[in-house]
Amino acid sequence: CSPGPLGGRTGAGLDPCLAQQIVVDVPAESTLEVSFLLGVDLEENVPALIARYSRPADAHAALREVREFWEDGLASVHIETPLPALDLLVNGWLPYQVLACRLWGRSALYQSGGAFGFRDQLQDAASLVYLWPEQTRAQILLHAAHQFVEGDVLHWWHPAPGGGIRTRFADDLLWLPLLAAFYVRTTGDHAILDESVPFVAARSLEAGEDEAYVFPEPAGESASLYEHCARAIDRSLTRGDHGLPLFGTGDWNDGMNRVGREGKGESVWMAFFLHSVLTDFLPLCEARGDHDRIRHLSEFRDRLAKDANDNAWDGDWYLRGFYDDGTPLGSHESSECRIDGLVQAWSVLSKVAPPERATQAMDSVERHLISEEDGLIRLLTPPFENTPHDPGYIKGYVPGVRENGGQYTHAALWVVRAMAELGRNDRVAALLELLNPIHHARTPEQVETYQVEPYVLAADVYGVAPHVGRGGWTWYTGAAGWMVRVTLESLLGFRIENGDTIVMRPCIPHDWPEFRIVYRPPGGTEFRLHITNPMSQADRVVEARVDGVPAPIRAGAAFLPMNGESGSRAIEIVLGPGAAG
């Protein structure tokens, strides 16, 4: 730093920074403490903020408050496994990435937007249900308030001035009922379904118009969250010529925005995804005695499963979809995008794939998409480049970059989750290690290849030479929340049911001797779980005790009651051989 005044130089190519200089006189043998207040707020709020933090003691108190918030929140779930690098991420960095970046900042060095994505932040918030369930609840209600009367939703929106994109995306709206059902199933908070939430209104899309930037206004109509979810589902019950849901101008993969833009293309992934949504939402219908809806949705779901298996199986894996002209996408006969891992994973997660096909589909993922040598789980292969069909802007990405044949970490984690569903114990932890950014930067050579931060998850990793292994954008990725959930729920087998029961069904490697989980939910009780694998055969739970009292075991899983006085509860679980049921 030069001793003179700052030069005031700004412009392109200079280092981004905040530079502030003050001149103070410090008498001999004296101490002077200076606090700098940095932030963004409305101009009229600034004087009050300055007054609030004008004394150093106030600044110190604010810093203590911040530290206590993170220390208390992150301590809600603490894991100790034979994989210390995984522990480091799950016990701190990943939840911090989700809350600070994805939900609060909604911006990062590699993607600076500030908007809420309808599907995006719902998934993020779901991962916080074990740490900050109030965040999950609030996010669900916030998104419901950005649904149109017709049932579709804003693909993304800015809180101020309130504008957002109305689109023909097929999947956005369905994340609301899926994650509302997950929240209720986990917390037991059925009251959220009766919360009254307003709708918004804006002009409809014109014929041939894929999207429009709109400024929605209050629709003058409100309904329960349950009704919001029901409208989203009702709008999504579409069928094409093969009995599969319409692709719209993109399903989960935004880059495939022209597969079905004429209104005829079908998405096989949407068939599995919609089946999962209906499966999870139907218990909510049953709890409310909504019999007509139960009958209608059950019939649609069953037919969806039949049509997907009759019309979308390609021999060794499932197709990705059908173009508007009926041409298959993601077939072994395709020159590009012969196989897509997203749809194989969800064929298993939805339980639509019969056991033999589920095994074949995931074996195909192992052969074609998982590369131990490159440390990647690719989304699809080969990349789009010269195909005469136009799948959308995904084809504009360099082959091997982002969704176009690179690792898209969000989807890669669903592949890991599917492996757990199939009981492939020795693959789940190994693939999580493959995805762990710490293991992409252990040596100077790896750092030179990866080139991005090793302590947060990257949205993508490049998959084609000469850039194989290079990290894409970091921080702002929905993969962070899913890595929390896949680690806790799929690998360690930890779930909460109805707010009063811990369910444990691990899928750990057979050579793990033990692991531990400490869970501190709101209310004061601390649950200390010690899971042992004395026979090196972690197929199922064979013994479970809470404070020495035996706990129920069903279908290879332990069901551990959370009732009782506040304090500390000791839970011992023993794994062993045998079919999990």
Side-chain angles (χ1 to χ4, degrees):
C1 180
S2 63
L6 298 176
R9 291 180 60 223
T10 62
L14 300 178
D15 288 337
C17 69
L18 172 84
Q20 184 174 0
Q21 184 183 68
I22 64 171
V23 178
V24 296
D25 292 321
V26 183
E29 300 182 0
S30 298
T31 299
L32 178 66
E33 183 170 347
V34 179
S35 298
F36 292 90
L37 179 62
L38 310 177
V40 177
D41 207 330
L42 298 175
E43 185 174 356
E44 56 267 28
N45 296 336
V46 171
L49 287 171
I50 294 174
R52 179 180 176 185
Y53 298 111
S54 59
R55 296 188 308 118
D58 297 327
H60 283 297
L63 182 58
R64 282 196 304 272
E65 184 179 347
V66 169
R67 285 174 173 163
E68 289 170 1
F69 171 84
W70 288 109
E71 289 169 359
D72 292 346
L74 295 176
S76 298
V77 178
H78 184 88
I79 67 173
E80 295 179 20
T81 77
L83 304 178
L86 184 65
D87 298 349
L88 183 63
L89 290 184
V90 173
N91 291 337
W93 279 106
L94 291 177
Y96 177 80
Q97 184 176 354
V98 172
L99 185 57
C101 180
R102 291 288 293 182
L103 292 188
W104 288 351
R106 300 186 302 282
S107 186
L109 179 62
Y110 303 89
Q111 185 183 39
S112 185
F116 284 103
F118 196 91
R119 73 160 83 95
D120 300 334
Q121 275 73 29
L122 273 175
Q123 293 175 75
D124 298 329
S127 70
L128 300 180
V129 73
Y130 305 111
L131 293 92
W132 293 286
E134 69 280 1
Q135 295 281 349
T136 310
R137 192 183 204 275
Q139 202 69 37
I140 291 170
L141 296 174
L142 174 67
H143 285 242
H146 289 81
Q147 182 182 33
F148 296 104
V149 174
E150 297 86 350
D152 60 321
V153 300
L154 285 165
H155 180 59
W156 56 257
W157 74 90
H158 285 286
I165 297 288
R166 190 171 197 175
T167 72
R168 301 184 192 275
F169 278 98
D171 71 307
D172 282 346
L173 64 174
L174 287 171
W175 290 100
L176 181 66
L178 183 71
L179 296 176
F182 166 72
Y183 170 79
V184 171
R185 184 172 66 249
T186 302
T187 65
D189 178 15
H190 286 261
I192 192 176
L193 298 172
D194 294 314
E195 292 276 3
S196 181
V197 185
F199 292 98
V200 294
R203 73 170 183 85
S204 299
L205 297 176
E206 303 289 343
E209 187 179 23
D210 293 345
E211 62 184 36
Y213 188 77
V214 296
F215 287 91
E217 298 179 349
E221 179 181 343
S222 297
S224 67
L225 176 64
Y226 178 82
E227 175 63 21
H228 278 262
C229 294
R231 290 196 195 187
I233 290 173
D234 290 345
R235 188 177 175 90
S236 302
L237 304 182
T238 61
R239 292 184 186 278
D241 291 343
H242 299 87
L244 306 174
L246 298 178
F247 213 112
T249 53
D251 53 9
W252 172 85
N253 193 329
D254 292 1
M256 294 183 174
N257 61 315
R258 289 191 286 275
V259 173
R261 73 181 303 264
E262 296 175 13
K264 298 179 181 179
E266 298 165 85
S267 169
V268 178
W269 175 77
M270 272 293 297
F272 298 135
F273 179 61
L274 178 54
H275 189 281
S276 299
V277 173
L278 297 178
T279 298
D280 286 2
F281 191 71
L282 277 167
L284 304 186
C285 302
E286 293 165 0
R288 302 173 79 89
D290 195 347
H291 301 297
D292 290 342
R293 187 174 299 279
I294 293 169
R295 182 173 58 255
H296 175 52
L297 296 185
S298 297
E299 291 173 355
F300 192 97
R301 182 189 61 170
D302 294 344
R303 183 177 169 186
L304 199 59
K306 182 179 186 304
D307 289 338
N309 278 304
D310 288 349
N311 301 322
W313 180 248
D314 195 50
D316 284 317
W317 58 78
Y318 286 94
L319 299 171
R320 180 62 174 85
F322 294 91
Y323 286 97
D324 282 314
D325 66 0
T327 301
L329 170 64
S331 166
H332 71 280
E333 297 180 346
S334 303
S335 60
E336 298 171 359
C337 187
R338 282 195 298 271
I339 179 173
D340 189 302
L342 175 75
V343 70
Q344 315 316 320
W346 277 85
S347 75
V348 176
L349 299 179
S350 65
K351 298 180 173 56
V352 170
E356 181 179 347
R357 286 187 175 180
T359 298
Q360 284 181 269
M362 296 310 294
D363 286 348
S364 296
V365 170
E366 288 271 18
R367 287 195 304 273
H368 297 286
L369 297 173
I370 298 176
S371 172
E372 305 281 355
E373 179 183 358
D374 296 330
L376 298 174
I377 303 176
R378 292 178 173 88
L379 178 60
L380 58 85
T381 196
F384 291 104
E385 187 173 14
N386 300 311
T387 177
H389 278 88
D390 181 10
Y393 74 76
I394 186 174
K395 193 177 175 183
Y397 287 131
V398 174
V401 173
R402 292 187 59 73
E403 293 99 325
N404 193 18
Q407 173 181 290
Y408 206 76
T409 313
H410 196 139
L413 284 156
W414 288 333
V415 168
V416 181
R417 196 171 183 85
M419 294 291 184
E421 289 294 319
L422 294 183
R424 298 188 177 183
N425 294 57
D426 290 319
R427 292 303 285 152
V428 179
L431 293 178
L432 283 172
E433 287 283 87
L434 200 72
L435 299 176
N436 191 320
I438 294 173
H439 294 299
H440 287 270
R442 290 173 295 181
T443 67
E445 293 76 19
Q446 288 178 319
V447 170
E448 182 64 25
T449 297
Y450 192 51
Q451 296 192 19
V452 294
E453 305 96 321
Y455 44 83
V456 291
L457 218 54
D460 60 303
V461 182
Y462 299 174
V464 173
H467 304 298
V468 173
R470 179 170 179 171
W473 76 39
T474 56
W475 280 104
Y476 196 76
T477 168
W482 275 108
M483 192 160 187
V484 172
R485 288 192 60 186
V486 170
T487 300
L488 288 177
E489 299 170 5
S490 300
L491 173 65
L492 305 184
F494 175 87
R495 298 176 189 257
I496 306 296
E497 278 192 5
N498 202 40
D500 60 10
T501 304
I502 296 173
V503 180
M504 289 295 298
R505 188 176 183 176
C507 189
I508 61 170
H510 294 301
D511 62 0
W512 276 22
E514 64 179 352
F515 69 92
R516 298 175 186 271
I517 300 174
V518 178
Y519 178 51
R520 302 180 180 93
T525 302
E526 179 181 82
F527 298 91
R528 294 187 169 274
L529 291 83
H530 182 206
I531 299 87
T532 57
N533 182 25
M535 291 177 279
S536 298
Q537 194 70 35
D539 291 328
R540 63 192 300 270
V541 174
V542 296
E543 184 179 342
R545 295 179 180 274
V546 180
D547 290 337
V549 178
I553 298 173
R554 298 192 296 272
F559 291 78
L560 312 162
M562 297 170 62
N563 58 337
E565 299 296 327
S566 62
S568 182
R569 313 289 297 278
I571 297 174
E572 296 289 337
I573 294 174
V574 180
L575 306 180

